[in-house]
Amino acid sequence: QVQLVESGGGLVQAGGSLRLSCAASGRTFSLYAMAWFRQAPGKEREFVAAISWGGTMSDYADSVKGRFTISRDNAKNTGYLQMNSLKPEDTAVYYCSARSGSYYYRPKDYDYWGQGTQVTVSS
């Protein structure tokens, strides 16, 4: 069992930055792939970024590539999403997720979810 709690969301101007954190509890977090998804009103939850359990592989949605960086610190049981050059279209609730083994790109592939943190980017 893994529990995830996101933090770090807020209101920023376009072009600004935020760093989201995902604090995990439970055993063997280091063996879990983790990912960030986001969901805007009226839209499906969409993939943002994922990172392998060892942190050696990562992937990003085209919409955030070059602006966002996913990372993890297994010693701290914490994952991060550094978001730079934010755009109004990045506005959404951001969710941290985890699954055992390799990462995938669909919400249905993930077993554990945080409660979400709101990110609002003003123009």
Side-chain angles (χ1 to χ4, degrees):
Q1 186 66 237
V2 176
Q3 292 80 44
L4 305 173
V5 179
E6 304 98 330
S7 62
L11 174 64
V12 298
Q13 295 184 34
S17 298
L18 283 173
R19 187 195 194 197
L20 305 184
S21 296
C22 175
S25 62
R27 293 183 176 181
T28 65
F29 175 72
S30 63
L31 301 180
Y32 286 73
M34 64 159 291
W36 291 90
F37 292 80
R38 66 187 183 187
Q39 188 166 22
K43 298 181 66 177
E44 294 184 347
R45 191 167 298 187
E46 66 173 345
F47 172 80
V48 176
I51 189 167
S52 62
W53 61 266
T56 59
M57 298 177 63
S58 60
D59 203 4
Y60 300 88
D62 288 342
S63 59
V64 307
K65 192 170 297 183
R67 299 188 296 121
F68 291 11
T69 302
I70 188 170
S71 62
R72 66 191 297 164
D73 186 340
N74 288 341
K76 297 181 179 180
N77 285 346
T78 303
Y80 305 94
L81 184 68
Q82 178 67 46
M83 305 185 295
N84 298 327
S85 302
L86 283 161
K87 305 174 181 179
E89 49 263 47
D90 295 319
T91 295
V93 176
Y94 283 69
Y95 297 90
C96 179
S97 61
R99 69 181 309 278
S100 61
S102 302
Y103 62 74
Y104 293 90
Y105 306 96
R106 302 174 299 176
K108 65 185 296 183
D109 294 321
Y110 288 82
D111 303 307
Y112 306 105
W113 293 86
Q115 83 289 348
T117 185
Q118 177 71 47
V119 172
T120 302
V121 185
S122 62
S123 60

